[in-house]
């Protein structure tokens, strides 16, 4: 067309603006865009990415308050090159935390390039045991009194009762009875219940199976990669 200098436009229809005559359709050709349709499987297969695997695939904790672990393998595929600045866990159940170590030390960063294409990391999941308050204890001051004093007090009561029934001392019987009764009340009062210091109630990691997520972050590009794993708390 003379107005834009291209040879692929046709104005034979009388239009002032030429139209693209198009090309013959073929396998994979998209008539709407003029581009070949993307083969997503091939695209992903060639795209650089970081893959995760875990062995065992399930982190098992035998009881709340204990830990479970698995070995993670991170592999750089198709020339993936980046530094992982942070590894973290999300979607963990209440009271559970995770940590990542490599050769016994906490993982601060992982670098992948043409030379380093894989890394082995240990994932440990720590859980919290629930605390159950013990039955309320009762502390009695009488428990601190030597047993011999208690025996002597009992003997004193018996002696007072014996004197109380003697004919010549019978007039003192009401006084002995009142004194003995008051002494018993004092002993019971000293042995009153005082709440002890029991443990506080707390909620630990619940038992069951859940799906948690590991995220690997590259802060330079704000890229986040994720991997799901199964957590089982017995």
């Amino acid at each position: 067309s003379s107005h834009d200098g291209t040879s692929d436009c046709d104005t034979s229809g009388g239009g002032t603006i030429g139209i693209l005559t198009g090309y013959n359709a073929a396998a994979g050709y998209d008539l709407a865009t003029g581009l070949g349709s993307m083969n997503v499987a091939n695209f992903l297969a060639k795209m650089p990415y970081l893959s995760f695997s875990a062995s065992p695939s399930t982190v098992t904790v035998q009881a709340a308050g204990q830990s479970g672990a698995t070995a993670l393998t991170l592999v750089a595929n198709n020339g993936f090159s980046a530094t992982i600045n942070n590894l973290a866990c999300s979607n963990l159940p209440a009271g559970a935390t995770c940590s990542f170590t490599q050769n016994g030390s906490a993982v601060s960063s992982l670098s992948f390039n043409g030379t380093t294409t894989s890394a082995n990391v240990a994932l440990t999941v720590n859980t919290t045991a629930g605390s159950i308050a013990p039955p309320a204890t009762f502390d009695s001051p009488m428990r601190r009194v030597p047993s011999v004093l208690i025996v002597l007090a009992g003997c004193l009561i018996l002696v007072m009762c014996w004197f109380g029934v003697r004919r010549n001392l019978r007039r003192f019987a009401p006084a002995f009875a009142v004194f003995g009764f008051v002494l018993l009340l004092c002993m019971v009062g000293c042995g009153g219940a005082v709440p002890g210091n029991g443990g506080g109630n707390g909620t630990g990691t619940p038992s069951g199976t859940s799906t948690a997520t590991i995220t690997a972050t590259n802060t330079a590009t704000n890229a986040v990669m994720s991997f799901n794993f199964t957590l089982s708390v017995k």
Side-chain angles (χ1 to χ4, degrees):
S1 175
S2 60
H3 74 278
D4 59 9
T6 63
S7 60
D8 293 329
C9 292
D10 182 15
T11 58
S12 59
T16 58
I17 299 177
I19 61 172
L20 188 65
T21 57
Y23 298 91
N24 293 331
Y29 178 76
D30 183 5
L31 186 60
T33 63
L35 302 175
S37 298
M38 179 183 293
N39 186 314
V40 178
N42 290 341
F43 174 76
L44 292 178
K46 298 299 182 180
M47 182 180 179
Y49 67 98
L50 184 67
S51 64
F52 293 76
S53 62
S55 180
S57 58
T58 298
V59 177
T60 302
V61 179
Q62 294 301 326
Q66 299 182 15
S67 301
T70 187
L72 296 176
T73 301
L74 288 70
V75 178
N77 299 278
N78 301 328
F80 176 88
S81 180
T83 297
I84 301 302
N85 305 100
N86 183 51
L87 289 172
C89 292
S90 59
N91 302 324
L92 290 170
T97 59
C98 75
S99 60
F100 300 88
T101 57
Q102 189 178 49
N103 300 323
S105 300
V107 175
S108 57
S109 65
L110 298 170
S111 296
F112 298 92
N113 47 48
T115 303
T116 303
T117 58
S118 65
N120 296 317
V121 175
L123 164 67
T124 301
V125 177
N126 302 302
T127 61
T128 304
S131 60
I132 302 176
T137 57
F138 296 90
D139 187 18
S140 170
M142 285 299 296
R143 295 174 57 187
R144 306 187 188 98
V145 179
S147 58
V148 64
L149 295 181
I150 297 176
V151 174
L152 290 176
C155 294
L156 178 60
I157 293 174
L158 292 176
V159 170
M160 288 188 298
C161 293
W162 181 77
F163 275 105
V165 297
R166 293 291 300 270
R167 181 172 299 179
N168 58 341
L169 298 176
R170 187 170 297 173
R171 64 181 179 275
F172 298 106
F176 284 128
V178 171
F179 181 76
F181 180 71
V182 171
L183 181 60
L184 287 174
L185 288 179
C186 292
M187 294 177 65
V188 173
C190 290
V194 179
N197 292 325
N201 288 322
T203 302
T205 303
S207 60
T209 300
S210 58
T211 299
T213 302
I214 299 170
T215 56
T217 306
N218 174 252
T219 56
T221 60
N222 294 321
V224 177
M225 292 138 282
S226 62
F227 171 73
N228 292 335
F229 69 96
T230 302
L231 173 63
S232 175
V233 181
K234 302 295 186 179

